[in-house]
C-alpha cells in the first residue's frame, strides 16, 4: 500500500468517524435549520422543512438531547433559536432549559411546518426555509449528514451543487476498498497515524457508563447487569459486551446530552463498531496497539460496507456495524485474514434483512442482537466454520457477499422501506 493511499484512508476515517450529540437524523435537520437561520441573519418567524422519507423515519421517535422531548419540532425550534452550524453534529450543544422553553413556545405558535419532499430519489435530503418579514433563507443538505449542496438568501444564491448527482461528495471521497485492504491497512499503518481511533473508545465507553447511572430508554444496558440476568448469561465478557453496547445506545436514543463517536453518519453504528472490540480487548489484557488496530479494522470495515449500502437504507445499520466489530474481535482472538473473512460471511448469512423502522429507544434491542451475533460469528470463525457459497446469498468471495448484502439493503428493500414509513405515519 502506497503512502498516498494510506493517507487517503486515514482522511476517509477521520471524515466518517466524528462526534455526535443525539441521533444524527434530527440533529442533521437542526444543523440545516441553524445554517438557514444564520444566512437569514435575524430571528426566524417561520421555518419550513422538507424531508426525504428516510430522514423523517429516523427522526420521529428519538429523544432530542437536553430537552426531555421526542421528535423533530423541538430539534427544528432549537436549531433556529440557538443552533450553531460550526458545531456540525453537535449543533445543539449550547442548549439549556431556557432555550427549550423558548423552543416550546416557538412550536406552540405554529411557526414550524414539516412535510415530505415529493419525487426525490436521494434518501438523505433536508431542505429548510427560514423566513422573517420579507426576507427568506434556504439551506439544503443531501448525500451526507453535514453536506450542504445549496444555500441562498432571497434571490442571492450563495452555494449551488444541486446539479451534481446525489451523493457525489461521497464518491469523491470513495476509495476502492476491499476486506483484504481494510485488514492490511489496520495491521500495517504506523501506530501514531491511527492512534486517533482510541477516541472512539473513550467517548463511547463514557456514554455506556453514563447510562448505567441513569434510567434511559428501555434500560437494556442496566438490565443486562442485573443478578437475574447474570444467572442466565453469566457475569462474562459476553454479557459485558452486550451491556456496554446496549447501554450507550439507551442513553443516546433517549436524548442524553452526551457525545458519542459516530461512524458513517450514525452514532449507533459508531457504538456497535467500538464497544464490543473495546470490552473484549480490555477484559483479555490486550495491548494498546492491539486495541488500536482492532478498532481501526472494525471502523474501516463499517465504512467500506456503507460505501455501497448508502448512508440511509431499509436495512438496520447495526448489521453493518456489528460486522465490523466481529472482524475486530476475530483478529483479537488471534484470527487470520481468512478467519476474519469467515466472520463476515457468518454475519451476512445471519442478520441480512433486519429492517430499519426508524431511530428510537428500541434500537438498543437491535444493536444487542447485532453484537451478540458478532461474537457468535467470531467464535465460529475461530473454529474455521464458515457459511458456504451454496447457502443463500453467500458467495465464495467475501467482497461479493458484502455487495450482495448491500444490494438487498439499498435496492431490494425499497418497497419494505415505503411500507414501514406508511405503517409508522398512519398510527393513531
Amino acid at each position: 500500500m502506497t503512502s498516498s493511499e494510506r493517507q487517503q484512508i486515514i482522511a476517509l476515517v477521520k471524515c466518517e468517524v466524528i462526534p455526535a450529540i443525539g441521533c444524527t437524523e434530527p440533529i442533521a435537520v437542526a444543523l440545516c435549520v441553524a445554517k438557514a437561520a444564520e444566512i437569514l441573519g435575524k430571528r426566524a418567524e417561520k421555518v419550513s422543512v422538507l424531508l426525504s422519507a428516510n430522514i423523517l423515519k429516523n427522526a420521529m421517535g428519538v429523544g432530542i438531547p437536553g430537552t426531555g422531548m421526542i421528535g423533530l419540532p423541538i430539534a427544528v425550534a432549537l436549531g433556529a433559536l440557538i443552533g450553531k452550524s460550526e458545531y456540525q453534529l453537535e449543533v445543539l450543544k449550547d442548549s439549556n432549559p431556557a432555550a427549550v422553553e423558548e423552543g416550546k413556545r416557538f412550536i406552540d405558535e405554529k411557526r414550524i411546518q414539516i412535510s415530505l419532499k415529493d419525487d426525490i430519489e436521494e434518501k438523505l435530503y433536508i431542505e429548510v426555509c427560514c423566513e422573517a418579514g420579507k426576507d427568506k433563507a434556504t439551506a439544503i443538505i443531501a448525500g451526507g449528514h453535514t453536506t450542504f449542496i445549496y444555500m441562498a438568501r432571497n434571490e442571492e444564491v450563495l452555494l449551488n451543487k444541486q446539479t451534481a448527482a446525489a451523493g457525489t461528495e461521497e464518491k469523491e471521497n470513495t476509495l476502492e476498498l476491499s476486506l483484504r485492504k481494510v485488514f492490511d491497512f489496520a495491521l500495517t499503518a504506523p501506530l501514531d497515524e491511527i492512534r486517533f481511533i482510541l477516541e472512539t473508545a473513550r467517548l463511547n465507553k463514557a456514554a455506556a457508563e453514563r447510562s448505567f447511572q441513569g434510567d434511559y430508554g428501555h434500560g437494556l444496558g442496566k438490565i443486562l447487569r442485573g443478578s437475574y440476568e447474570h444467572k442466565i448469561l453469566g457475569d462474562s465478557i459476553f454479557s459485558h459486551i452486550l451491556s456496554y453496547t446496549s447501554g450507550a445506545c439507551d442513553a443516546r436514543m433517549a436524548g442524553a446530552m452526551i457525545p458519542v463517536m459516530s461512524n458513517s453518519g450514525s452514532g449507533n453504528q459508531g457504538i456497535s463498531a467500538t464497544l464490543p472490540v473495546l470490552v473484549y480487548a480490555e477484559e483479555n489484557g490486550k495491548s494498546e496497539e492491539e486495541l488500536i488496530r482492532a478498532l481501526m479494522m472494525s471502523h474501516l470495515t463499517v465504512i467500506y460496507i456503507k460505501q455501497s449500502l448508502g448512508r440511509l437504507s431499509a436495512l438496520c445499520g447495526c448489521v453493518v456495524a456489528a460486522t465490523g466489530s466481529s472482524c475486530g474481535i476475530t483478529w483479537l482472538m488471534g484470527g487470520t485474514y481468512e478467519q476474519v473473512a469467515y466472520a463476515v460471511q457468518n454475519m451476512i448469512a445471519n442478520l441480512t434483512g433486519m429492517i430499519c423502522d426508524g431511530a428510537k429507544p428500541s434500537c438498543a434491542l437491535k444493536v444487542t442482537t447485532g453484537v451478540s451475533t458478532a461474537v457468535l460469528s467470531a467464535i465460529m470463525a475461530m473454529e474455521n466454520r464458515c457459511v458456504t457459497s451454496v447457502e443463500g446469498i453467500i458467495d465464495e468471495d467475501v467482497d461479493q457477499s458484502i455487495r450482495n448484502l448491500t444490494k438487498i439493503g439499498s435496492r431490494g428493500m425499497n418497497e419494505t422501506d415505503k411500507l414501514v414509513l406508511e405503517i409508522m405515519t398512519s398510527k393513531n
Side-chain angles (χ1 to χ4, degrees), residues 250-271:
D250 284 331
R252 179 173 174 268
M253 290 288 97
M257 198 69 177
I258 182 169
V260 300
M261 195 67 87
S262 67
N263 183 308
S264 304
S266 163
N268 284 348
Q269 285 170 191
I271 288 165

Side-chain angles (χ1 to χ4, degrees), residues 28-327:
V29 174
L31 172 63
C32 198
V33 174
K35 177 64 82 174
E38 288 164 5
I39 295 168
L40 186 64
K42 60 176 88 169
R43 183 187 165 103
E45 295 166 2
K46 182 184 171 194
V47 182
S48 305
V49 181
L50 291 168
L51 303 172
S52 59
N54 287 74
I55 290 285
L56 188 63
K57 181 180 76 172
N58 278 358
M60 285 170 62
V62 71
I64 306 302
T67 68
M69 297 171 70
I70 282 174
L72 274 169
I74 191 64
V76 171
L78 288 175
L81 296 169
I82 55 93
K84 288 192 174 66
S85 65
E86 68 203 68
Y87 293 162
Q88 298 279 292
L89 292 179
E90 296 178 282
V91 59
L92 299 183
K93 71 178 179 182
D94 287 347
S95 181
N96 57 60
V100 173
E101 288 308 309
E102 193 181 352
K104 288 177 184 175
R105 284 195 299 276
F106 199 84
I107 296 166
D108 292 341
E109 290 164 2
K110 305 276 192 285
R111 296 182 181 278
I112 297 170
Q113 183 180 25
I114 299 166
S115 45
L116 273 172
K117 176 80 172 178
D118 292 326
D119 302 323
I120 52 162
E121 289 188 18
E122 174 57 60
K123 292 183 178 181
L124 198 167
Y125 183 91
I126 303 161
E127 181 178 329
V128 174
C129 180
C130 286
E131 297 177 62
K134 293 181 178 177
D135 293 315
K136 72 173 188 175
T138 304
I140 299 175
I141 284 176
H145 289 82
T146 59
T147 306
F148 286 93
I149 64 160
Y150 183 84
M151 297 179 205
R153 187 176 193 282
N154 296 325
E155 303 307 313
E156 184 188 0
V157 176
L158 307 171
L159 171 75
N160 189 0
K161 295 182 181 174
Q162 286 182 303
T163 49
T168 303
E169 57 87 28
E170 291 178 50
K171 294 199 170 49
E172 286 170 5
N173 295 329
T174 297
L175 285 155
E176 285 296 320
L177 291 173
S178 65
L179 190 66
R180 179 89 229 189
K181 196 174 282 189
V182 167
F183 182 88
D184 289 345
F185 170 82
L187 298 196
T188 61
L191 207 58
D192 284 344
E193 292 185 14
I194 60 171
R195 189 179 298 276
F196 67 88
I197 206 72
L198 280 176
E199 186 67 3
T200 65
R202 187 187 71 78
L203 272 190
N204 292 344
K205 186 180 183 184
E209 289 176 341
R210 170 82 73 88
S211 79
F212 301 147
Q213 293 152 18
D215 185 21
Y216 297 102
H218 297 293
L220 187 57
K222 283 179 85 170
I223 288 170
L224 290 167
R225 294 163 71 83
S227 55
Y228 175 74
E229 290 68 34
H230 282 171
K231 285 179 190 170
I232 298 168
L233 285 172
D235 186 5
S236 62
I237 293 171
F238 182 59
S239 70
H240 300 165
I241 285 173
L242 299 189
S243 64
Y244 268 78
T245 311
S246 56
C249 183
D250 284 331
R252 179 173 174 268
M253 290 288 97
M257 198 69 177
I258 182 169
V260 300
M261 195 67 87
S262 67
N263 183 308
S264 304
S266 163
N268 284 348
Q269 285 170 191
I271 288 165
S272 300
T274 304
L275 288 172
V277 174
L278 173 66
V279 172
Y280 185 88
E282 285 186 341
E283 300 202 12
N284 281 284
K286 298 296 180 182
S287 67
E288 183 182 72
E289 175 170 354
E290 287 172 310
L291 173 60
I292 290 169
R293 296 197 182 284
L295 284 171
M296 182 54 75
M297 189 180 299
S298 178
H299 279 281
L300 190 53
T301 299
V302 178
I303 292 167
Y304 164 43
I305 300 174
K306 290 292 286 186
Q307 280 184 340
S308 54
L309 180 62
R311 290 193 175 266
L312 298 177
S313 76
L315 198 65
C316 174
C318 82
V319 176
V320 171
T323 301
S325 61
S326 192
C327 294

Side-chain angles (χ1 to χ4, degrees), residues 401-414:
S401 292
I402 289 170
R403 286 190 287 276
N404 293 345
L405 161 76
T406 59
K407 199 182 292 181
I408 289 167
S410 62
R411 285 163 45 193
M413 292 173 71
N414 281 338

